[in-house]
Amino acid sequence: MKFAILVNEGPFNHQAVDTAYQFARAALARGHEVLRVFFYYDGVHNAHRHSAPQADERNIVTRWSKLAEEHSVDLAVCVAAGLRRGVTEAVIAPGFRITGLGQLIEAGIDADRTMVFGD
Amino acid sequence: MNEQDTDGTVTKRFMVVNRKAPHGTVYALEVLEMVLISAMFDQDVHVAFLDDGVWQLRRGQMPGVLEMKDFSKTYRALEGYGVEKIYVEGESLAERGLSEQDLVIPVEVIARADMARLMDGMDVVLTA
């Protein structure tokens, strides 16, 4: 099955981010496809390469980058939501790209299921 | 469910669900941007307002005093974007002492059970 994932919340602030990540990992492990993870609202902070959590904590940003590297998952960050929050090309981590909201709609059209993570 | 048009493009039933008050958090404003974009993709777009989301359509908002943008006007422009399927959950209105007359645009008020059925028939449900 082809999945599209929408992440609506900021990292560390909300477990939705972790659940989205675990879901993507589990789906891929089962042989499903993850077409795109789209980051919207405070979700855009997931892409910030200056995020530096303490060593005994999970590193949410690098975890996403690794997922993209290992499985060629498209990590798409909304440009408008990003601009509001200072998340621009200059600060995004490897594997992420800045793009328009249209890419979320497109993912919804192309995927068999669109999963939304957030409040 | 989704249908294939004669030219090969896919039209899906999208629903954007508004569950949050217009201010206090940014969700309502950014959801509206999502609605406007989805309308540009020639999809079958539905917009639903339930729970505190019904406050988004309340007439007479003055968010300017809080230095917030009054985007309630944008709902009136939705029709111009071809977004005409706008549903409000009746119970959510009643629970908050609101009625259809309190809203900035004409909507279809439907019962909670019907909202659930409507949602069930969608291909893509986007929420915030």
Side-chain angles (χ1 to χ4, degrees):
Chain A
M1 190 174 274
K2 292 182 202 161
F3 287 102
I5 293 176
L6 171 62
V7 176
N8 283 350
E9 309 291 344
F12 304 101
N13 191 53
H14 204 298
Q15 195 185 331
V17 169
D18 297 86
T19 312
Y21 170 79
Q22 303 296 353
F23 179 87
R25 278 272 177 216
L28 290 163
R30 289 268 182 137
H32 298 294
E33 265 181 82
V34 176
L35 294 184
R36 181 169 296 145
V37 182
F38 194 89
F39 298 89
Y40 198 45
Y41 311 100
D42 272 0
V44 299
H45 290 301
N46 281 273
H48 209 300
R49 68 181 168 88
H50 292 153
S51 163
Q54 292 181 9
D56 61 349
E57 249 186 313
R58 69 216 186 284
N59 190 316
I60 292 177
V61 178
T62 55
R63 204 168 64 172
W64 283 121
S65 291
K66 217 170 144 210
L67 184 78
E69 197 190 325
E70 289 171 10
H71 299 277
S72 306
V73 174
D74 181 22
L75 305 178
V77 179
C78 174
V79 59
L83 277 174
R84 277 196 183 102
R85 297 166 175 86
V87 179
T88 59
E89 292 284 357
V91 299
I92 56 171
F96 288 90
R97 67 188 179 100
I98 306 275
T99 186
L101 250 187
Q103 295 274 292
L104 167 65
I105 307 302
E106 200 187 271
I109 295 169
D110 294 340
D112 299 309
R113 292 282 186 282
T114 300
M115 307 294 292
V116 183
F117 293 88
D119 278 341
Chain B
M1 296 293 269
N2 55 322
E3 46 192 75
Q4 192 101 12
D5 293 347
T6 45
D7 61 355
T9 56
V10 176
T11 305
K12 283 194 171 181
R13 289 159 65 86
F14 273 74
M15 180 181 261
V16 181
V17 182
N18 291 282
R19 293 180 41 244
K20 306 271 205 308
H23 300 284
T25 62
V26 79
Y27 295 104
L29 173 68
E30 291 192 311
V31 160
L32 194 49
E33 291 175 5
M34 206 185 255
V35 173
L36 298 176
I37 297 285
S38 61
M40 289 162 67
F41 275 73
D42 290 329
Q43 299 297 302
D44 185 14
V45 180
H46 304 68
V47 185
F49 295 86
L50 48 132
D51 302 338
D52 277 344
V54 300
W55 290 114
Q56 293 179 29
L57 297 178
R58 180 75 162 96
R59 257 182 219 283
Q61 295 179 40
M62 290 187 296
V65 297
L66 299 171
E67 295 185 19
M68 302 302 280
K69 189 158 135 184
D70 186 6
F71 53 87
S72 68
K73 295 182 181 82
T74 313
Y75 298 111
R76 288 188 216 125
L78 287 180
E79 209 184 339
Y81 283 87
V83 179
E84 288 161 356
K85 296 174 179 172
I86 301 174
Y87 304 91
V88 173
E89 192 183 83
E91 285 89 337
S92 296
L93 283 177
E95 283 159 11
R96 289 160 182 81
L98 295 172
S99 74
E100 222 175 317
Q101 287 70 43
D102 295 312
L103 309 181
V104 289
I105 48 166
V107 296
E108 196 175 332
V109 176
I110 62 173
R112 190 161 280 167
D114 294 326
M115 184 67 91
R117 271 191 286 276
L118 187 67
M119 236 179 242
D120 197 36
M122 295 291 141
D123 296 308
V124 181
V125 179
L126 300 170
T127 59

